[in-house]
Amino acid sequence: MSDVINVEEIFASKVFTRAMMKERLPKSIYKEVVSVMDKGGELSLEAADVVAKEMKDWAVENGATHYTHWFQPLTGITAEKHDSFVSHPDENGKMIMEFSGKELIKGEPDASSFPSGGLRATFEARGYTAWDITSPAFLKEDATGVILCIPTAFCSYKGEALDKKTPLLRSMEAISEQAVRIVRLFGNTGATKVVASVGPEQEYFLVDREKYLKRPDLIYAGRTLFGAPAPKGQEMEDHYFGTIRERIGAYMKDLNIELWKLGVTAKTQHNEVAPAQHELAPIYETANIAVDHNQLVMETMKKVAGRHGMTCLLHEKPFAGVNGSGKHNNWSLTTDNGVNLLDPGDTPNENIQFLLVLACMIKAVDIHADLLRQSASDVGNDHRLGANEAPPAIISIFLGEQLEDVVKQLVETGEAAHVLQGGKLATGVSTLPDFEKDATDRNRTSPFAFTGNKFEFRMVGSADSIASPNTILNAIVAEAFCEAADVLEKADDFELAVHDLIKKYLTDHQRIIFNGNGYAPEWVAEAERRGLPNIKSMVEAVDTLTTEKSVKLFEKFGIFTRAELESREEVLYETYAKSINIEALTMIDMASKQIIPAVIKYSRSLADTVIAVKEAGADASVTADLLQELSEKLSEMKAALARLKEVEKKAGTIADAKEQAFYYKDVVRKAMDELRAPADEAEMLVDKKVWPIPTYGDLIFEV
Ligand code: ADP
Ligand code: MG
């Protein structure tokens, strides 16, 4: 077998691409499909039938036996229910594989077991899946065979969104509509839509599968719940961008090939800061496709790891004391005639448009910092945000020196009004320097950074779907654009009005700009002085979804109804409670069945040693001391275990979802920490041969 990989040949070989449709569909049908893809609307049933048949034939030619409406329920991962193409045999017993337009466009999985946060009672369990025609169908191959996957939205009988895709698609329409109003003001009459583009950088850990299987905490919780630090951590900074080891290299190669086949533009790969940590970045694409593809990236990472005798950990904090994983969500807006709204450009005219866009973004992020924070929260991310390895939990914007200086000038000496009277935007605006990309250093501590021609939202958790952060980004910026357009469309003197508006927005919202070190304790105090929210945990972020300000925003643009928002709150509280409960039960299990027995066993051998040494007439005091120390840890563990059992039980009796989630956060998690501490100390005292689970050193240095 040749080792040459023909990327061009394999790329998207498992995707029913536009090119494939063009090749296979009658011209008129293809035109209809493209029109719906680009401009919206509904596919006629007649066209859908033709598309379905061609899609099915293509899938069957590629070995498919089943199809599925692939959707993204509120669990944050994807769901699928397979149906085969098998149909009723004819009178001769011959069976023809079938797939109709109706089946393509709409599905009805029973799906009553997905979290709906009260949107749907079991007796009205109907949930519908509807084809997202803008995200191409693809083939997934695993032990069940080849499955045709049709990316879909998932709604209730009454049309309420039960998934993450529907609100995202709604938000994309909202921002497109409002952004078009903005570019029109600047004379861009050719643009008919504006697309939000997203490029998510995905971090992950790889551990040896054999060792993983010996750690119930990794199996059930995806992170270690016990474990003393290894003698070496990441302090040597020798892993970041380090040479990729053979085993990992083989994995990355295989992963890339699988992703390329699925049409995912896996582009960059490197070792990350922590040992055993790596990163993959694709090339950016339309937001909803980027969201779908990020799900495929996460899924494929796990699948391919198995083939290489490893397990991929996507948890935000698999190991205490070493860096956790996140996702950098790169986001920008581009018109369908090719203008990136976040590109400072090099003509003054475009600079004004850019400055208005920038001012709107600053305003949006300041007003809705709480929502952005919420969109990046999940159970695992609580271990990272604000813990000096990831951005702080406080939202701020990093602009870089040059841009910050421009903003400062505009705010301070913005008396450009008198210059404007001269009919020229000469001062304060037109003499602005052309922004050089990367003119300033990177700021790795900022949660929201301007990086040349895009914003990079760096708070997102590694295991989380990126649907929510992008839905929120689109929504809040749409609102700011809408408010700006409302003013500017009515202005008698546009140039004066736009200048005033930029100055006003920047002045009113400059508190959100911060170029300094986000890890410094002074920033926390400074942010508080500025009145910026510091939401420390996931559960504290949940009710930002239903503040009056949020409901107004989402209802105005038809992105979420109040009921949909309330349902999401419910699901978030439940998810938090369930996750911590699993962690607590896992700890109880491991402590009771593995760690405490191991400590007792080792104590026994120490006791035997003490007796034997004494009998031999020698000094047994060192061993006796060790035994004593271990006994103390044992009793601490026993007490902490009893306490954890007690609070875990109590948690289960709390009926109110919010109250329960807070109890898990404030009480159960504390009890978990209190059990972990003596166990980790005991690990340092016990013979490694007796310790029942692989250690941190085994897990992260011996992959
Ligand atoms: P950085 O090194 O600044 O993180 P990269 O060029 O490596 O930037 O890109 C990181 C991610 O950002 C990639 O997924 C890339 O495709 C994406 N990206 C680049 N330009 C844009 C853009 N205009 N809009 C959205 N994402 C982008
Ligand atoms: Mg980056």
Side-chain angles (χ1 to χ4, degrees), residues 604-618 620 623-624 627:
R604 169 74 201 257
S605 79
L606 288 177
D608 289 348
T609 307
V610 171
I611 294 167
V613 171
K614 270 189 184 159
E615 263 174 21
T623 316
L627 179 58

Side-chain angles (χ1 to χ4, degrees), residues 312-463:
C312 173
L313 303 177
L314 292 172
H315 194 283
E316 284 77 10
K317 191 76 176 177
F319 306 100
V322 290
N323 269 15
S325 303
K327 267 193 265 252
H328 286 179
N329 188 86
N330 293 272
W331 179 93
S332 68
L333 292 170
T334 316
T335 65
D336 57 351
N337 58 2
V339 181
N340 177 353
L341 270 57
L342 290 173
D343 191 338
D346 39 37
T347 67
N349 213 27
E350 277 170 355
N351 277 350
I352 302 169
Q353 179 180 305
F354 168 74
L355 282 175
L356 177 65
V357 168
L358 183 72
C360 285
M361 292 217 43
I362 288 168
K363 174 183 164 189
V365 173
D366 184 31
I367 291 180
H368 296 294
D370 56 344
L371 275 180
L372 265 182
R373 166 68 180 90
Q374 190 286 321
S375 77
S377 66
D378 69 8
V379 187
N381 227 7
D382 274 5
H383 298 278
R384 290 176 69 241
L385 300 179
N388 283 10
E389 60 162 277
I394 306 159
I395 296 273
S396 65
I397 300 182
F398 170 82
L399 290 179
E401 275 164 45
Q402 200 174 37
L403 208 48
E404 195 190 21
D405 181 55
V406 169
V407 169
K408 202 163 145 233
Q409 285 177 51
L410 279 171
V411 172
E412 280 171 11
T413 64
E415 269 68 48
H418 66 271
V419 183
L420 281 166
Q421 281 164 2
K424 270 200 228 146
L425 282 156
T427 320
V429 180
S430 71
T431 58
L432 290 175
D434 289 340
F435 311 110
E436 278 171 47
K437 287 180 193 173
D438 300 321
T440 43
D441 201 9
R442 294 290 172 102
N443 179 326
R444 294 176 55 94
T445 66
S446 175
F448 202 80
F450 182 71
T451 48
N453 61 359
K454 62 186 192 296
F455 272 101
E456 195 168 326
F457 185 29
R458 298 170 171 155
M459 264 187 170
V460 186
S462 50

Side-chain angles (χ1 to χ4, degrees), residues 6 62-63 124 168 227 307 320 329 396 480 525 559-561 583 638:
N6 188 337
N62 284 282
E124 47 181 34
L168 174 71
R307 286 188 210 151
N329 188 86
S396 65
I559 295 168
F560 288 111
T561 61
E583 293 192 347
K638 189 170 167 284

Side-chain angles (χ1 to χ4, degrees), residues 114-133:
F114 289 108
S116 76
L119 275 184
R120 198 181 35 152
T122 331
F123 62 87
E124 47 181 34
R126 255 176 227 261
Y128 291 99
T129 48
W131 183 25
D132 171 12
I133 196 170

Side-chain angles (χ1 to χ4, degrees), residues 177-219:
E177 196 179 315
Q178 300 308 323
V180 164
R181 290 175 69 192
I182 297 290
V183 300
R184 286 276 157 77
L185 287 166
F186 290 89
N188 184 346
T189 48
T192 62
K193 87 178 186 184
V194 171
V195 174
S197 303
V198 173
E201 304 163 54
Q202 174 75 47
E203 292 180 333
Y204 62 99
F205 277 87
L206 288 172
V207 294
D208 184 82
R209 182 138 184 95
E210 294 289 314
K211 291 175 190 147
Y212 164 87
L213 290 172
K214 293 193 179 118
R215 298 270 328 202
D217 46 3
L218 287 180
I219 294 174

